[in-house]
């Protein structure tokens, strides 16, 4: 496979393009971010926005919060530097890990905030996972859509027009390019551009109602609210990372020092090096494994690419880590197959249909990734009798 000469991301990466020197657009937009964006004026733009909304409603803003490094940093930063009164909204995808729950309790108590948590019906979630796996080779549709639509419903219900998110998508993909110098708006256009995998809740209802006892209201948490309602609210939905330069490593260290936030082991990751990455969900290992089977790389490549761009890792170290950790079968696959009532062979056949050429997965030579410390605490489906 062709790979970026600078960061090593392969040609199967979402939105990637290469210039004549073989350097990818993610690297180039990153250079632009660091060299050409006027972060001082961005910051003062953000100050103005905050003052425009402060004190006018029951809450100054809504902060969607998973408890991962980015949303924890966002909440911390906004509380510390702006002393806001936020309504924190938590969408529970159904697979929150024990370490995350502990982190969240510590963070939310320490910062002193009101929190609303929402967990969708697990029977519905399982059916949605199966359908989006079959259609897109990505079982996380309920999570992608719920995380981005549910806080918007909450904004409407509580009449809070300002919604503040964490990292902008330009950090990882080129759907929004730093070089366009625009402020990424977290709105329905963005939702339909890449968040919902091209499947609206209405499409989804039509795809599953033939074999699932679906109440039309079941999919409301995954439906983006009507634009006219959001406009009436005069909503503004933006990322903190569009106004201050995002630095995952620095920010993770900060929340560890200031909030006692703890990293965790993640299946398929060199967790001594990346203890802060994607610790929220115990299906993460399966997600990364599918990515590997489809595209020939997983999160290790993404993380090392980010470090190379930051000048914190050399290419040889990155290559070694990628070779050592990527493409291993995660222990959570067994649980995942139980939830969806699939055999591993059925799973492989489904994933095979979504492979991105020129990559070809080799199912016969898969080694197993080690279990994380909390594996035995994850939800198991009762055996069908
Ligand atoms: Zn690159």
């Amino acid at each position: 496979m062709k790979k970026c000469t600078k960061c090593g991301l392969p040609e199967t990466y979402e939105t990637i393009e290469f210039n004549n020197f073989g350097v990818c657009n993610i690297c180039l937009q990153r250079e632009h971010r660091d060299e050409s964006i006027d972060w001082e004026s961005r910051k003062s733009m953000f100050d103005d926005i905050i003052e425009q909304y402060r004190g006018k409603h029951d809450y100054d803003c809504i902060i969607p919060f998973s408890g991962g490094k980015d949303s924890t940093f966002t909440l911390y930063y906004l509380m510390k530097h702006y002393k806001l009164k936020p309504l924190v909204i938590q969408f529970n995808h159904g697979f929150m890990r024990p370490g995350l729950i502990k982190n969240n309790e510590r963070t939310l108590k320490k910062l002193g905030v009101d929190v609303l948590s929402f967990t969708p019906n697990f029977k519905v979630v399982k059916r949605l996972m199966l359908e989006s796996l079959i259609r897109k080779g990505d079982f996380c549709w309920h999570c992608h859509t719920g995380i981005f639509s549910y806080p918007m419903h909450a904004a409407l219900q509580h009449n809070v027009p300002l919604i503040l998110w964490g990292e902008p998508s330009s950090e990882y993909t080129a759907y929004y390019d730093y070089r366009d110098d625009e402020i990424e708006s977290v709105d329905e256009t963005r939702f339909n551009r890449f968040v919902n995998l091209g499947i609206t809740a209405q499409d989804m209802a039509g795809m599953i109602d033939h074999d699932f006892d679906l109440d039309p209201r079941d999919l409301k948490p995954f439906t983006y609210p009507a634009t006219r309602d959001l406009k009436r609210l005069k909503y503004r939905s933006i990322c903190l990372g569009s106004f201050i330069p995002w630095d995952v490593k620095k920010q993770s260290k900060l929340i560890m020092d200031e909030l006692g936030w703890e990293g965790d082991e993640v299946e398929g990751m060199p967790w001594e090096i990346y203890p802060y990455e994607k610790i929220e969900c115990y299906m993460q290992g399966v997600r990364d494994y599918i990515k590997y089977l489809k595209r020939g790389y997983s999160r290790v490549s993404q993380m090392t690419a980010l470090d190379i761009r930051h000048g914190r890792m050399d290419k040889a170290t990155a290559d070694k880590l990628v070779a050592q950790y990527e493409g291993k079968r995660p222990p959570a696959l067994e649980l995942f197959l139980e939830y969806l009532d699939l055999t591993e062979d059925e799973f492989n056949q489904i994933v095979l249909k979504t492979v991105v050429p020129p990559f070809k997965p080799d199912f016969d030579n898969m080694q197993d990734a080690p279990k994380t410390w909390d594996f035995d605490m994850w939800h198991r489906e009762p055996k069908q009798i």
Side-chain angles (χ1 to χ4, degrees), residues 127-247:
R127 185 63 187 85
L128 296 174
M129 285 167 70
L130 177 64
E131 195 63 27
S132 82
L133 175 72
I134 292 170
R135 301 264 173 184
K136 295 286 169 178
D138 180 342
F139 61 88
C140 303
W141 183 87
H142 81 284
C143 190
H144 301 315
T145 54
I147 281 177
F148 286 101
S149 62
Y150 189 75
M152 306 310 284
H153 288 286
L156 287 168
Q157 279 158 14
H158 295 271
N159 194 33
V160 181
L162 181 62
I163 302 103
L164 297 177
W165 306 81
E167 78 280 24
S169 65
S170 324
E171 281 295 298
Y172 302 102
T173 54
Y175 292 108
Y176 291 82
D177 194 317
Y178 278 126
R179 290 171 292 179
D180 295 335
D181 210 18
E182 56 171 347
I183 304 296
E184 179 175 340
S185 186
V186 186
D187 56 12
E188 190 173 20
T189 305
R190 180 185 184 277
F191 187 79
N192 290 330
R193 192 180 283 182
F194 62 93
V195 170
N196 71 2
L197 310 172
I199 302 175
T200 65
Q202 210 177 8
D203 298 334
M204 189 53 101
M207 291 167 181
I208 65 175
D209 70 354
H210 64 97
D211 68 356
F212 187 80
D213 186 16
L214 188 75
D215 182 313
R217 292 167 295 183
D218 286 342
L219 296 188
K220 186 153 179 223
F222 314 101
T223 311
Y224 213 79
T227 304
R228 66 177 178 283
D229 292 338
L230 289 168
K231 280 192 173 151
R232 209 175 298 139
L233 180 67
K234 298 199 170 49
Y235 85 115
R236 185 115 197 216
S237 175
I238 46 181
C239 302
L240 176 60
S242 296
F243 303 94
I244 61 167
W246 213 245
D247 186 335

Side-chain angles (χ1 to χ4, degrees), residues 4 6-9 23-24 26-27 309:
C4 171
K6 196 170 166 210
C7 73
L9 282 181
V23 177
C24 79
I26 320 285
C27 281
R309 274 183 226 124

Side-chain angles (χ1 to χ4, degrees), residues 3 7 249 268-276 292 296-308 312-328 367:
K3 291 185 174 182
C7 73
K249 237 176 198 160
M269 285 295 291
W271 55 57
E272 312 76 32
I273 305 176
Y274 299 108
Y276 49 80
Y292 179 82
Y297 74 91
S298 72
R299 190 154 298 277
V300 189
S301 287
Q302 270 172 280
M303 295 314 297
T304 54
L306 212 56
D307 270 345
I308 292 172
R312 290 195 279 230
M313 186 178 281
D314 60 66
K315 190 80 175 23
T317 311
D319 289 346
K320 220 174 107 189
L321 286 172
V322 167
Q324 193 181 343
Y325 287 93
E326 286 200 339
K328 304 257 192 308
Q367 293 170 302

Side-chain angles (χ1 to χ4, degrees), residues 54-186:
R54 188 193 292 279
K56 304 230 168 88
H57 300 85
D58 285 355
Y59 294 95
D60 294 328
C61 65
I62 278 184
I63 302 180
F65 178 83
S66 68
K69 62 188 185 324
D70 295 304
S71 59
T72 302
F73 169 76
T74 301
L75 180 59
Y76 168 79
Y77 183 91
L78 293 170
M79 296 292 288
K80 184 170 164 79
H81 295 285
Y82 292 94
K83 311 221 169 344
L84 295 177
K85 179 176 176 58
L87 176 59
V88 172
I89 304 284
Q90 198 170 42
F91 177 86
N92 182 346
H93 40 63
F95 309 104
M96 283 166 68
R97 296 179 59 190
L100 176 86
I101 293 169
K102 248 174 78 185
N103 273 338
N104 287 357
E105 188 180 6
R106 198 187 310 104
T107 297
L108 298 170
K109 284 193 166 149
K110 189 152 186 179
L111 292 176
V113 286
D114 290 354
V115 185
L116 268 183
S117 180
F118 174 79
T119 309
N121 176 337
F122 192 56
K123 283 190 180 169
V124 174
V125 165
K126 285 193 294 183
R127 185 63 187 85
L128 296 174
M129 285 167 70
L130 177 64
E131 195 63 27
S132 82
L133 175 72
I134 292 170
R135 301 264 173 184
K136 295 286 169 178
D138 180 342
F139 61 88
C140 303
W141 183 87
H142 81 284
C143 190
H144 301 315
T145 54
I147 281 177
F148 286 101
S149 62
Y150 189 75
M152 306 310 284
H153 288 286
L156 287 168
Q157 279 158 14
H158 295 271
N159 194 33
V160 181
L162 181 62
I163 302 103
L164 297 177
W165 306 81
E167 78 280 24
S169 65
S170 324
E171 281 295 298
Y172 302 102
T173 54
Y175 292 108
Y176 291 82
D177 194 317
Y178 278 126
R179 290 171 292 179
D180 295 335
D181 210 18
E182 56 171 347
I183 304 296
E184 179 175 340
S185 186
V186 186

